[in-house]
Amino acid sequence: MLRAFVLILAFALLPVRALGAPTIAPHVQVELVAETASIQPGHDTTLGLRFVLQDGWHVYWRNPGDSGEAPSVEWTLPPGFEAGALEWPRPERIPVGPLVNFGYDGATLLPVRLRVPSDLAGAASVDVGARARWLVCDEDECVPGKASLSLTLPVDGAAAQPTRAAPLFEQARAALPIAMPATWRLAAKATATGVALEARDVGTPGDPAPFFFPFEREVIEHAAPQDVRITPDGFELSLVSWSGAATTPRSLDGVLTVGGRAYTVAVPVEGAAPDVAFRPFLLAFAGGLLLNLMPCVFPVLVFKALALVGLAGESRRHVRGHGLVYALGVLLSFWVLAGVLLAVRAGGAQLGWGFQLQSPVVIALLASLFFWMALVLLGVSSIGGSLMGVGNRLTAGGGYRAAFYTGVLATIVATPCTAPFMGTALGYALVQPAVVALGVFTALGLGLALPYVLLTFVPSLGARLPRPGRWMETLEQLLAFPLLATVVWLVWVASLQAGPEAVVVILAALVLLGLAAWTARRWRGGFAHAVAAVLIVAALGAEMTITPVAGTPRSDATGFAWEPYSTARVAELVRAGTPVFIDFTAAWCVTCQVNERLALATPAVIAKMRALGVVALRADWTRPDPDIARALAEFGRDGVPLYVLYSGRDADPPRILPQILTTDIVLTELAQLETRSDT
């Protein structure tokens, strides 16, 4: 409190009209200040966003590093005024457990150039408003903040006088990066682990050692040491490529500090893969292909199989049309998902792949959908048969509509799964411009749709399909039971999200749906259909009332102790030198459940973890959790599963395991951990 009082008193002595009222937020004081006490028409001036931080707390640079978020400002300016971008003084490295962030502690000022129009129409003063957002953190906690700041700037035709804040602007300018001297020669080349940045004609670099701060996050490992080798006329800096990238960056763009001075650099990397720009699209396409093999897509395989059999004997044009319409349904669904994700993220929320399954209402509606589909296959209900495209409806008119909705359904049920390659591609997509993100989602959809489209375009495959017949009725009824098994799984997920009450509501809704199907089939009249419609509306309306509740952490059947995840707990364990394994998972993620049962819950893996003293943390994303969403984003991922292993040594960056696990993969990673601990 005394510190805050002294700060407010000191700034109260400055010219009040050129200084905004400071905002005192948790662990930080934020204010908008001006360099001059007034403005002149046609003469630019400089404003500044100033942070004064409590000891042990920090805000972030434009690239926050391994975690965090940079401050941002939205301006409200009079007509004709324009504010430039925030200018960023050189940052400091801020270690936080095994991570390294880039930012500022103590006090810092971010200058902004304000363009002043030449005609102010005789105004005596102008008002400037700023909506500032920031994230302030220490080693264990992060607190987001926002404030509306304002300044009143007098208009004066004479030369503007500096405020008492002017020395702060001079200090900030002294720390801003400058252009590299023309005599320096920089070169970068790809290495086995990353990039070697060579500086020649620099002279002795001096102390502190040179360091490179990249402008973008996904370029180098921020926590990895930057080894310096002194050469006769300069130095060579070894940089480790970001773990989520399979190739080295094509260019090093950022700030290079040499002898305590910061320089802006942009250096092409010799030997970087030329096709790196296409890699996310290729990964997304491959991930979409592999989605067809994931267990979550199995319910739709029922309808795909029936559709292919039902198309036997149809004209080639008709069969190809089915394939293309199915692909259109897939692509439109992926575009809708991408649009929702981009719109919500633009508003500041954190959503990822499979976000809709974090809602128990969506889970309940999906359970009802699959239950109704099973009733159609079993012949209990004929309502919706044309929509689902089963049985003889596939060979009659309206089949294109069935193909389209099958594509939509394939996309919906694919979201509980994350195939290999998808995580990196989606994590990349959602930090890119909208056009690039839509391109990645399009590649993912094309991969999912391709196998079915190929089957419809290859005549030889169609000729080998059996002709439709009475045997199809038996097949349809048999395939209803995997759908009912899916309903059981969805009800279990809902119980974790919304408790036992949700189970009662969903089961009651399924009873109403069954009664509706029986009523419509038993009497087949208009009145019966009306009664069935009322029952369906009542069932779905009841499910819409389900609300999530707090739950307890899940544990596997072996009884192995999984602690709940938190960023603070990870930092605490790593500071203590304890190895940590993090399972980013969700009950609705089928890939996660398979990995947990076939790899993580095996006796060999559990025994190895216990022998090495590994603490296992479970980041359960079954319900929305901003902390887990932030952690996924920091690892360049947009969904689960994600598996991260910390050795417990500050010098070792975290290791990311594959998205599809086996016992051997986990044991191999743990064995490497054991080897590193012995050295």
Side-chain angles (χ1 to χ4, degrees), residues 65-68 217-218 242 345 350-352 426-428 430-431 584 621 626-639 642:
D66 285 323
S67 64
R217 270 182 162 170
E218 299 173 0
W242 177 59
R345 289 208 167 201
Q350 291 284 345
L351 291 182
L426 292 177
Y428 167 85
L430 293 178
V431 296
F584 290 88
W621 212 31
D627 193 28
I628 294 176
R630 269 194 306 270
L632 288 169
E634 288 162 8
F635 284 109
R637 298 298 173 87
D638 189 62
L642 173 65

Side-chain angles (χ1 to χ4, degrees), residues 35 139 223 252 266 338 362 379 424 528 551:
E35 186 174 19
E139 288 194 358
L252 290 180
V362 173
T424 301

Side-chain angles (χ1 to χ4, degrees), residues 430-512:
L430 293 178
V431 296
Q432 300 300 313
V435 174
V436 177
L438 287 174
V440 172
F441 274 86
T442 300
L444 184 61
L446 289 173
L448 178 62
L450 182 62
Y452 185 80
V453 173
L454 283 179
L455 288 173
T456 60
F457 269 70
V458 179
S460 58
L461 294 176
R464 296 178 182 178
L465 293 174
R467 297 288 178 182
R470 292 180 58 85
W471 63 272
M472 285 187 63
E473 182 179 351
T474 302
L475 177 63
E476 289 176 11
Q477 294 176 358
L478 181 64
L479 292 177
F481 293 96
L483 295 179
L484 293 175
T486 303
V487 173
V488 173
W489 165 63
L490 290 170
V491 172
W492 171 71
V493 174
S495 72
L496 297 176
Q497 295 176 330
E501 293 80 4
V503 175
V504 175
V505 173
I506 295 174
L507 293 180
L510 297 185
V511 171
L512 291 177

Side-chain angles (χ1 to χ4, degrees), residues 20 71 97 107 128 169 176 363 372 414 510 524 529 593 612 615 664:
V128 174
F169 287 87
L176 289 175
I363 293 292
W372 192 269
L510 297 185
R524 297 179 179 272
H529 281 185
Q593 302 308 310
L612 294 174
V615 174
D664 289 341

